Amino acid sequence: MDLVAQAKKNAGHRAADMVKDGIIVGLGTGSTVFFAMERLGERIKTEGLSILGVPTSHQTAMRAEEYGIPLTTLSLHPVLDIAIDGADQVTPSKQMIKGRGAAHLREKIVADAAKQFVVVIDSAKEVPVLDAAVPIEILPFAYGSVCKKLVELGGEPVMRNGVKKDGPVISDNGNYIFDCAFGKVDDPALLESAINSIPGVLENGVFAKMTEKTIVIVGKSA
């Protein structure tokens, strides 16, 4: 295992060890979260840990099944005890950009429903200022008008295309994903609200309004 993977595993396992018996856990999408799920599966088998998970993507649901983590829904459990997720960039003030896995709409819903939001990253994801392209989930019908508005906001929207398929990436919700560069983001909360105010935008990957309940775990490679 390389050093980055070891750091991700360290962070994921530390988050999983925070999970208490009998609680409802939001399960994010991505490699670092999957290490947390791996550890949760181990605890279920060895400790008899009893939890229910709410997955943020089809991929996470399949991985949970593989690890033996029983699942539930937000309809049955609209308030979660904890949500564990990764991030693409995180500032010292715990504002972040997420969405490289195109699951940020469901991830933000799950994080909002959770009493505590635990974000697991390796040290490369720590930045002084957010400057990554912002993933945006857009209703296909509206992508032309939305992109025009994003340009007016100072962004450079680019449709995300599939790697092992031709054409655009389609989210689990059936929508397009655009990555929109804004350069350095001086006011993440303002940008988050401005993007979401555009009709046709379902959600964007700036997470700037959950800092009070957010805990960031930075994994180490040793």
Side-chain angles (χ1 to χ4, degrees), residues 1 5-6 16 19 73 79 101 118 138 161 170 177 184 201 210 218:
M1 184 177 294
Q6 186 61 50
V19 173
T73 66
V79 178
V118 178
I138 299 174
N161 287 304
I170 305 298
I177 302 294
K184 290 187 177 180
V201 169
M210 304 183 190
V218 183

Side-chain angles (χ1 to χ4, degrees), residues 104-180:
H104 51 282
L105 170 54
R106 296 191 187 192
E107 288 172 341
K108 192 173 286 189
I109 291 169
V110 165
D112 180 69
K115 298 175 184 176
Q116 189 174 58
F117 185 35
V118 178
V119 177
V120 288
I121 59 171
D122 60 88
S123 59
K125 306 296 176 60
E126 295 181 289
V127 296
V129 180
L130 299 177
D131 62 3
V134 178
I136 304 172
E137 184 158 344
I138 299 174
L139 190 72
F141 171 78
Y143 82 92
S145 59
V146 169
C147 286
K148 180 177 182 296
K149 295 288 187 181
L150 290 171
V151 171
E152 291 172 1
L153 280 179
E156 298 177 4
V158 176
M159 179 178 281
R160 188 183 300 182
N161 287 304
V163 175
K164 294 185 179 180
K165 67 175 284 293
D166 291 334
V169 169
I170 305 298
S171 76
D172 286 358
N173 312 301
N175 301 307
Y176 292 158
I177 302 294
F178 277 73
D179 295 301
C180 191

Side-chain angles (χ1 to χ4, degrees), residues 36-97:
M37 293 171 63
E38 175 186 61
R39 173 62 180 150
L40 288 173
E42 290 175 359
R43 293 187 61 197
I44 288 170
K45 292 177 183 177
T46 62
E47 302 173 19
L49 179 72
S50 176
I51 61 170
L52 290 173
V54 175
T56 55
S57 66
H58 298 322
Q59 184 187 33
T60 297
M62 290 187 288
R63 191 63 64 93
E65 182 177 338
E66 177 184 338
Y67 291 140
I69 301 172
L71 298 178
T72 187
T73 66
L74 276 180
S75 300
L76 293 174
H77 297 278
V79 178
L80 310 179
D81 297 288
I82 189 173
I84 301 173
D85 210 342
D88 304 322
Q89 287 189 330
V90 181
T91 69
S93 60
K94 296 186 287 190
Q95 295 177 317
M96 63 194 75
I97 290 176

